[in-house]
Amino acid sequence: MKLSVGLITFNEEKNIARTLDSILEIANEIIIVDSGSTDRTLEIAKKYNAAIFSERWKGYGKQKNSVIDKCNGEWILLIDADEEISRRLSKKILDI
């Protein structure tokens, strides 16, 4: 099973490393659609080999759909840039 993890971002440098650390074991690819971050968000995301796309803000739903369109996995997990996947959930996903 190939799992794509997708995020939308805007100035998330305080959160993004914690979020990406939490999905490293489960993600076959990380897709980020950023809407013009001016902090270190993209610099940090690059360290995780995330595929990064810059797009103007189109609204929450349209931005999330843009992430989905870019994912190549059989399964897609969309999370917010300030969320963290628990070890328990990560293990459950790997078991599946």
Side-chain angles (χ1 to χ4, degrees):
M1 169 181 86
K2 184 175 177 187
L3 177 67
S4 299
V5 178
L7 301 91
I8 59 174
T9 59
F10 177 73
N11 289 342
E12 291 288 346
E13 78 174 307
K14 293 181 180 174
N15 300 309
I16 194 78
R18 178 179 47 83
T19 300
L20 296 176
D21 281 338
S22 78
I23 55 128
L24 276 180
E25 288 184 17
I26 61 170
N28 296 105
E29 73 174 352
I30 301 168
I31 305 295
I32 294 176
V33 173
D34 183 78
S35 46
S37 290
T38 56
D39 63 1
R40 294 180 51 244
T41 298
L42 302 181
E43 175 187 333
I44 295 166
K46 287 177 186 173
K47 293 178 182 177
Y48 290 84
N49 295 318
I52 301 168
F53 301 87
S54 295
E55 298 179 4
R56 66 173 175 72
W57 180 250
K58 300 179 288 280
Y60 191 79
K62 289 181 179 181
Q63 209 77 356
K64 288 278 190 174
N65 285 334
S66 182
V67 172
I68 291 169
D69 290 342
K70 292 166 179 54
C71 290
N72 297 302
E74 297 169 60
W75 292 88
I76 299 170
L77 174 63
L78 296 178
I79 60 173
D80 289 339
D82 63 348
E83 289 183 311
E84 186 175 348
I85 301 301
S86 70
R87 298 289 305 149
R88 183 176 177 195
L89 178 56
S90 183
K91 182 179 178 342
K92 190 71 163 176
I93 290 170
L94 289 172
D95 289 344
I96 293 171

